[in-house]
Amino acid sequence: MSEDIAQDSAGFAVRARIDTTTPHSARFWNYFVGGKDNYEVDREIGEQIKGIFPGLVDVALTSRRFLGRAVRHLAGEQGIRQFLDVGTGLPTADNTHQVAQQVAPDARIVYVDNDPIVLAHAQALLTSTPEGETAYLDADLYDPEAVLRAAAETLDLSRPVALMILNTLGHVADYERARDLVRRLMAGLAPGSYLVISDSTATSEGMIAASDAYNSSGAVPYYVRDVEEIAGFFEGLELVEPGVVRVPEWRPDAAAAGGDESVDAYCGVGRKA
């Protein structure tokens, strides 16, 4: 066990007990995108999975780039000024608030996670431009109404919000429950709001084997889904072109051009009418 200093939702210092003997999804993903907030146990399973399926590194990196493109599109082309990022994970480079406020300095961002490891690093997410605002909520995806109530202290939910749920829904084992959680979050947002999702998919034997290996490591399981199931999260929404596609294919920019088109992760952006 290790201890990290964290901030609770009221801003007071708390001490989070961190298990360094078992792999952890946020630290594991942090390792794959080149972060430094991980432990030997996370790097070991990371290297093991690289041996099984090297393509998972591409999933991590291209998914991170999709976040940037989606946020720039919504802030720059659609005029969105509010972002609700659920399942934040550990901060790395180009976090949601950094991308959004680079485009729109007055953007307001609320991060949501209930993981003590993420909480211990939350202070890194609480920077903001003077014109905007960034907040962190210690709240649970499984209680969408509580998430919305707390987010309303920073965001104006009568105005459009971009709901970001990136590489998170795989932790919800039951697909219909995952869809229900997404529906309940979107139900509390104003017309003109957007849903942004990306997730690993069961689109190759390598990805399925990597998922099985990770789920056998003692970490909280993560379930990869079919592409049709990813598309199902957008039911009732207007899909933004090009629809539900592999992450390198969603509005690629020059930096993303030539990316691996076989990446086993799909994404989409949908608008609430």
Side-chain angles (χ1 to χ4, degrees):
M1 287 286 194
S2 172
E3 289 187 337
D4 281 352
I5 296 295
Q7 296 287 323
D8 68 9
S9 58
F12 298 103
V14 296
R15 196 167 291 274
R17 294 191 62 79
I18 306 302
D19 182 0
T20 60
T21 65
T22 302
H24 185 279
S25 62
R27 298 190 316 237
F28 169 81
W29 207 248
N30 177 266
Y31 173 61
F32 267 21
V33 299
K36 302 182 185 303
D37 296 317
N38 48 74
Y39 293 100
E40 184 62 30
V41 68
D42 310 299
R43 296 187 286 273
E44 286 177 358
I45 188 62
E47 289 301 314
Q48 177 187 337
I49 288 178
K50 281 184 189 179
I52 297 170
F53 181 55
L56 194 58
V57 176
D58 294 326
V59 169
L61 294 174
T62 57
S63 296
R64 194 69 185 180
R65 294 175 194 138
F66 163 68
L67 179 155
R69 298 197 305 276
V71 171
R72 283 191 292 272
H73 170 73
L74 293 176
E77 298 181 36
Q78 304 304 320
I80 297 297
R81 294 295 181 266
Q82 303 188 110
F83 294 82
L84 179 59
D85 189 329
V86 178
T88 302
L90 289 168
T92 54
D94 298 328
N95 300 291
T96 298
H97 74 285
Q98 294 167 320
V99 178
Q101 292 182 342
Q102 185 176 39
V103 176
D106 59 336
R108 302 166 76 85
I109 296 88
V110 172
Y111 291 103
V112 179
D113 213 305
N114 71 332
D115 190 313
I117 292 174
V118 176
L119 180 61
H121 295 269
Q123 196 63 36
L125 295 170
L126 296 180
T127 58
S128 176
T129 57
E131 303 95 325
E133 186 171 351
T134 304
Y136 177 88
L137 300 180
D138 181 11
D140 194 338
L141 169 65
Y142 288 96
D143 191 351
E145 290 74 25
V147 169
L148 292 167
R149 285 194 301 272
E153 296 181 11
T154 302
L155 307 178
D156 179 358
L157 300 189
S158 69
R159 299 176 63 82
V161 174
L163 172 63
M164 317 279 296
I165 314 179
L166 305 181
N167 306 101
T168 296
L169 290 167
H171 283 305
V172 184
D174 183 79
Y175 175 62
E176 289 305 325
R177 186 176 188 188
R179 287 188 64 181
D180 180 62
L181 294 172
V182 172
R183 280 194 295 262
R184 287 159 63 189
L185 284 167
M186 288 301 297
L189 302 181
S193 293
Y194 287 83
L195 173 65
V196 182
I197 286 177
S198 67
D199 236 323
S200 302
T201 48
T203 42
S204 75
E205 292 183 1
M207 173 57 87
I208 293 169
S211 176
D212 290 343
Y214 179 79
N215 292 347
S216 299
S217 71
V220 176
Y222 201 96
Y223 302 95
V224 293
R225 295 194 159 101
D226 295 335
V227 178
E228 293 76 12
E229 292 178 307
I230 303 300
F233 290 121
F234 296 95
E235 183 178 358
L237 304 178
E238 301 171 355
L239 276 170
V240 173
E241 290 294 334
V244 176
V245 295
R246 294 183 191 270
V247 289
E249 299 170 357
W250 198 91
R251 297 177 176 256
D253 52 23
D260 186 356
E261 300 301 313
S262 65
V263 164
D264 291 299
Y266 275 70
C267 65
V269 177
R271 182 180 184 274
K272 180 177 180 179

